């Protein structure tokens, strides 16, 4: 190999010799558009003039980066656990001190700095189990079925890793929704499993139709061995909240077709629309009676990163497994033990999330106020986003029933599509990149999540503070009109 | 399938259908012996009588679980970052406040709760780069080559994942020492790569001999494609510290044989023996001149879990890549982005580790005292462990030059070996399990790390407090004599 005429040592590790499965991974949420956004931020800092003064990152569900305040009680407990000398400090409320002491007593050497059990601290797993029982109206939860994790992502990949086997036409197939959160497609590519795409129904509020599951499964059976079905509810990037009926249908389908269910429920507190309610797969499964509850294998996932806490940086989370074969469970425990343990501060945080201040405790009223302020602000922004976007000619969006995103359809002029194709870019990538360069607004093109051929979308978070969100929406409107005019 | 005559639903995910590579993973550090130890602890709690009153876990390098105190300054900064209201508190020293403010300014939304860049917070990567430059006597380090990680384990697996490709006789081969830290064998099994074992020389203080590397490589070439060489220095589980000469030899070997070097240097501050000194692979590589420093591909790993900080629970760490192909680097960045980011509290901790109090700052003297107290206590225990173990007939051990472990050879009577084989147990597993049941001391058998056929060892940490360590050593002596007598 030679560069500028100089002979260069051939590397051991090159694009040609590296792991081809890693090469095939794509992950749009932190892809080229976000890299360009970071670059533009640096250009602004060095004084380069732009038609805007700041980059607004509406590309990722990063609540606190967008100004959401952490829950005071949670942070007090974390500070107390980090530096236990503060337990003597009268400025901290007694309930925060009691929680911190209880967590520290469950840590090796009474310290966040010790490894925990690989499955997570036992006491915290018990607290999680009680939280799930309360959430699910008393349906039993065994702490032995709880695995604490490094965010939900890590647990999802671990579960997929267990499920993957076979070669050629026997390769494991995993059903994922389109649009999807690209962690799923990335993990399947990395694990060399087959992605079985089922489409959500955009015309019906991104709902999930079991006939579409059936279609996708039938088509896939010729070239892989379908073994798992992944559901994201409330939906990312599509913001729908599944009805109880739909969840029942999905469970029945999984039972008939012998599919392992994976329920990504990290947005379980983020439900805004009237008439919508979060139903956990676990609860519905158990309410359907023993022919389902003793049979269907389920893993469900939750995280400290979303909902009203938005503590993404702590990488806390858990997975509950239901009806998992006991030998496989031992294998799962072995697998997680190789990485030693999930971050202990994230475990401590999860503990206070599942065991927050109670009505008789001093921090209760502040906690309730902070939580409901955050959730009602999100509900307001969910509604506002949908209303304003739907006023823009050429943009159509479904209600944001839950989660933190809108995924509107954008109609692009044929000339724009043509120009994008000439540049070998997805048309909605071309659109989003232009939006970024002209307005500083960073969104993710729908092609990063998957969409029906010939339709174009973007994902935008509803997280910016209300005033900023209004500016963002106004800028998108302006841009979309200009873009449409330019290419008409 | 039927259990007790009752027909049981056949599961989707069973030992037969699960990922066979995951099934082949072994990880002794948290294996059956540790599970039994946890059980025994519970039995003690419920009042079951044992010949001991507590389980002593000398199986894992879990410093703070064994009573090591965290560095005050680090924990103050973490508390301040977790709950920034404390920045107003006069009880915290100004240097801790300044560090915390600087870290928070580098976080999204000024909060530990925001995601960071997937490669890690830029300012912290700059601080790491400066730390490496100081450590390596001025050898340049580019922050763009630093990847913050979730402990070192996560970065090691990520790097191995990039390196693995091919099938059959073209499968990637990775050279690892025997004895090894079983993260390596576990990751290679999971990735379906070929483990190429090279033996450390027990008769010469577990030193690494390049002739042995050559032998192992030649033998492996017939059935795989060797591409990487992993070194742990200071050694785990063997406690040796590599000489500068040896590191040069290894680098020359890697260059000749076109191997990607992976240097696990997480014990870089844990060097105790007179005449021993830590030399980083990076520094030696650059001192060998451009024919090496511009050519040999190297990834080196460090962590916040060991040394004098021992903050295992925070899962902080970093990797530095040298001479990595730029296209591969882009692939690495993409791969880490799928998991979003390393835990931000661990990143904050890493920042203070690489940027500790300076002589003019108020926390300096306390920091220096705490650090040197911890390191000198470890040095004393390293020495004591070796001396006492070597007094036991039938046990021989090399000096603990560095790291946190001793890996003594134990001579087992043929009758004991016979009985273990009848139980289908490795003889040293049989020994360690008996030791646990009779004394409550939890060690890991040498078979979990690999050893020469017919030799037996255990790994024991030097971490228990001095008084407890002396009791542990006395109990091992007693047990070993009893065991030997029983089976003679």
């Amino acid at each position: 190999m030679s560069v500028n005429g100089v002979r260069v040592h051939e590397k051991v590790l090159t694009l040609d010799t590296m792991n081809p499965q890693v090469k095939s991974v794509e992950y749009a949420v932190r892809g080229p558009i976000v890299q360009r956004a970071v670059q533009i931020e640096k250009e602004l800092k060095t004084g380069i003039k732009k038609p805007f003064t700041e980059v607004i990152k509406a590309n990722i569900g990063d609540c606190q980066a967008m100004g959401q305040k952490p829950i005071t009680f949670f942070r007090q407990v974390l500070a107390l656990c980090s530096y236990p000398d503060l337990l003597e400090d009268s400025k901290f409320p007694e309930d925060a001190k009691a929680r911190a002491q209880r967590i520290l007593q469950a840590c090796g050497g009474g310290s966040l700095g010790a490894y925990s059990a690989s499955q997570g601290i036992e006491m915290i797993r018990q607290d999680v189990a009680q939280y799930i029982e309360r959430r699910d109206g008393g349906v039993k939860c065994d702490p032995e079925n709880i695995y604490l994790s490094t965010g939900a992502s890590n647990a999802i990949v671990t579960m997929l890793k267990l499920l993957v086997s076979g070669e050629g036409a026997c390769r494991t197939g995993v059903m994922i929704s389109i649009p999807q959160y690209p962690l799923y497609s990335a993990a399947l590519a990395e694990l060399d499993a087959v992605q079985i795409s089922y489409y959500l129904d955009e015309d019906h509020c991104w709902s999930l139709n079991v006939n579409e599951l059936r279609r996708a499964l039938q088509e896939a059976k010729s070239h892989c061995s379908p073994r798992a079905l992944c559901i994201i509810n409330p939906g990312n990037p599509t913001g729908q909240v599944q009805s109880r009926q739909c969840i029942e249908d999905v469970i029945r389908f999984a039972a008939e077709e012998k599919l392992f269910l994976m329920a990504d429920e990290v947005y379980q507190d983020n439900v805004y629309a009237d008439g919508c309610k979060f139903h956990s797969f676990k609860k519905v499964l158990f309410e359907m009676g023993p022919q389902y509850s003793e049979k269907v294998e389920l893993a469900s996932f939750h995280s400290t990163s979303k909902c009203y806490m938005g503590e993404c940086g702590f990488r806390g989370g858990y997975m509950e497994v239901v009806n998992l074969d006991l030998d496989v469970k031992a294998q799962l425990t072995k697998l997680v033990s190789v990485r030693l343990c999930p971050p202990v501060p994230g475990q401590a945080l999860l503990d206070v999330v599942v065991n927050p201040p109670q009505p008789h405790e001093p921090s209760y009223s502040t906690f309730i106020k902070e939580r409901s302020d955050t959730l009602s602000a999100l509900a307001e922004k969910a509604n506002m986003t949908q209303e304003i976007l739907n006023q823009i000619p050429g943009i159509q969006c479904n209600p944001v029933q839950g989660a933190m995103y809108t995924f509107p359809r954008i109609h692009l002029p044929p000339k724009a599509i043509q120009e994008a194709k000439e540049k070998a870019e997805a048309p909605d990538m071309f659109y989003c990149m232009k939006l970024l360069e002209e307005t500083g607004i960073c969104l993710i093109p729908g092609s990063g999540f998957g969409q029906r051929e010939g339709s174009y979308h973007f994902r935008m978070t509803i997280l910016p503070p209300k005033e900023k969100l209004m500016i963002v929406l106004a800028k998108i409107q302006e841009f979309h009109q200009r873009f449409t005019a330019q290419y008409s």
Side-chain angles (χ1 to χ4, degrees), chain A:
Chain A
M1 193 173 77
S2 81
V3 173
N4 301 331
V6 180
R7 226 183 124 63
V8 174
H9 171 73
E10 191 67 52
K11 306 261 183 197
V12 176
L13 186 56
T14 65
L15 272 191
D16 291 336
T17 65
M18 72 173 279
N19 187 332
Q21 280 144 238
V22 170
K23 215 156 50 181
S24 69
V25 165
E26 287 180 23
Y27 189 68
V29 175
R30 296 210 152 186
I33 206 149
V34 183
Q35 285 163 26
R36 178 65 190 135
V38 171
Q39 221 171 23
I40 290 178
E41 274 186 326
K42 284 189 184 167
E43 291 173 8
L44 284 172
K45 266 191 198 155
T46 62
I48 295 178
K49 285 272 175 296
K50 304 266 176 194
F52 49 87
T53 54
E54 68 166 331
V55 172
I56 299 174
K57 290 185 191 147
N59 60 297
I60 186 168
D62 193 355
C63 317
Q64 296 189 17
M66 286 286 107
Q68 186 177 311
K69 290 277 159 279
I71 297 286
T72 303
F73 182 77
F74 295 171
R75 294 309 195 91
Q76 286 174 331
V77 173
L78 286 165
L80 289 159
C81 287
S82 298
Y83 187 52
D85 283 17
L86 292 171
L87 289 165
E88 308 299 317
D89 192 321
S90 59
K91 277 206 300 291
F92 283 83
E94 288 308 315
D95 47 358
K97 288 184 187 175
R99 288 293 192 296
Q101 266 166 327
R102 189 165 166 271
I103 291 167
L104 290 174
Q105 275 162 16
C107 290
S111 171
L112 290 190
Y115 291 120
S116 76
S118 301
Q119 198 174 343
I121 293 172
E122 188 172 3
M123 182 204 79
I124 300 181
R125 289 190 287 112
Q126 288 164 354
D127 288 348
V128 168
Q130 284 174 22
Y131 160 83
I132 292 174
E133 289 185 0
R134 287 194 308 273
R135 182 197 70 186
D136 290 345
V139 174
K140 283 275 163 274
C141 177
D142 183 347
E144 284 306 306
N145 289 338
I146 303 297
Y147 286 77
L148 306 191
S149 62
T150 308
S153 301
N154 157 262
I156 291 168
V157 175
T158 299
M159 205 60 231
L160 287 173
K161 195 181 283 173
L162 280 177
L163 278 159
V164 165
S165 68
E167 284 177 31
C170 295
R171 273 201 300 163
T172 293
V174 177
M175 303 187 75
I176 64 172
S177 64
I178 297 295
Q180 54 124 8
Y181 175 55
L183 167 69
Y184 291 90
S185 52
L188 294 177
E190 199 184 311
L191 292 165
D192 203 21
V194 177
Q195 170 178 330
I196 306 173
S197 304
Y198 64 89
Y199 289 86
L200 300 176
D201 186 353
E202 182 163 16
D203 295 336
H204 295 89
C205 230
W206 294 115
S207 64
L208 196 168
N209 186 316
V210 173
N211 290 331
E212 167 60 11
L213 289 180
R214 210 158 268 133
R215 179 208 58 79
L217 188 72
Q218 282 316 318
E219 282 184 29
K221 280 180 176 172
S222 66
H223 62 274
C224 70
S225 171
R227 303 183 60 205
L229 167 55
C230 302
I231 307 280
I232 312 174
N233 177 51
N236 176 6
T238 38
Q240 83 284 16
V241 176
Q242 263 181 295
S243 70
R244 199 184 176 294
Q245 182 58 50
C246 176
I247 293 174
E248 266 192 37
D249 293 346
V250 169
I251 291 174
R252 229 171 264 119
F253 173 79
E256 281 162 22
E257 300 289 351
K258 299 205 79 212
L259 295 170
F260 191 106
L261 267 177
M262 292 181 53
D264 179 340
E265 302 179 322
V266 301
Y267 298 98
Q268 54 189 262
D269 293 330
N270 297 111
V271 176
Y272 318 117
D274 283 345
C276 285
K277 191 172 173 295
F278 170 73
H279 304 277
S280 80
F281 267 77
K282 165 94 179 291
K283 178 168 192 260
V284 176
L285 179 66
F286 276 74
E287 288 172 355
M288 287 170 71
Q291 75 269 40
Y292 294 100
S293 68
E294 291 174 6
K295 186 171 147 184
V296 175
E297 294 151 79
L298 168 70
S300 66
F301 305 91
H302 194 20
S303 148
T304 56
S305 302
K306 311 296 171 183
C307 300
Y308 64 91
M309 36 299 178
E311 295 280 14
C312 310
F314 281 82
R315 315 308 297 119
Y318 73 79
M319 153 168 81
E320 180 185 13
V321 293
V322 176
N323 291 323
L324 190 65
D325 178 88
L326 285 182
D327 291 329
V328 174
K329 198 159 172 292
Q331 294 286 327
L332 169 59
T333 304
K334 177 191 75 179
L335 184 61
V336 298
S337 77
V338 179
R339 307 296 160 82
L340 298 165
C341 69
V344 178
Q347 295 187 46
L349 173 64
L350 178 64
D351 189 58
V352 278
V353 167
V354 297
N355 181 20
Q358 297 305 305
H360 62 278
E361 292 182 315
S363 302
Y364 182 72
S365 58
T366 306
F367 166 71
I368 292 296
K369 182 173 185 322
E370 290 177 347
R371 185 178 67 176
S372 56
D373 284 357
T374 297
L375 288 175
S376 59
L378 285 170
E380 187 188 357
K381 292 189 284 186
N383 194 40
M384 187 175 94
T385 302
Q386 171 209 343
E387 279 186 1
I388 297 181
L389 285 176
N390 274 326
Q391 287 163 13
I392 307 175
I395 296 188
Q396 266 171 287
C397 75
N398 276 315
V400 183
Q401 298 174 331
M404 300 178 165
Y405 317 96
T406 178
F407 195 72
R409 181 161 181 181
I410 46 176
H411 296 271
L412 305 180
K415 263 199 202 164
I417 297 173
Q418 188 55 34
E419 189 170 325
K421 286 188 175 157
E422 280 160 18
K423 290 183 152 186
E425 269 182 11
D428 46 15
M429 170 64 95
F430 176 75
Y431 177 94
C432 288
M433 201 58 105
K434 251 182 137 43
L435 176 76
L436 173 65
E437 296 287 351
E438 294 182 18
T439 67
I441 297 169
C442 180
L443 307 177
I444 310 289
S447 45
F449 304 87
Q451 54 201 353
R452 286 210 182 260
E453 180 84 28
S455 74
Y456 305 108
H457 301 78
F458 59 73
R459 186 184 83 164
M460 178 184 131
T461 72
I462 58 164
L463 294 173
K466 190 177 162 190
E467 292 64 36
K468 195 173 266 185
L469 184 59
M470 289 181 71
I471 297 171
V472 168
L473 292 166
K475 282 188 171 190
I476 290 175
Q477 172 156 25
E478 236 179 73
F479 170 81
H480 189 79
Q481 285 164 347
R482 196 163 61 239
F483 183 91
T484 307
Q486 188 183 345
Y487 288 98
S488 286

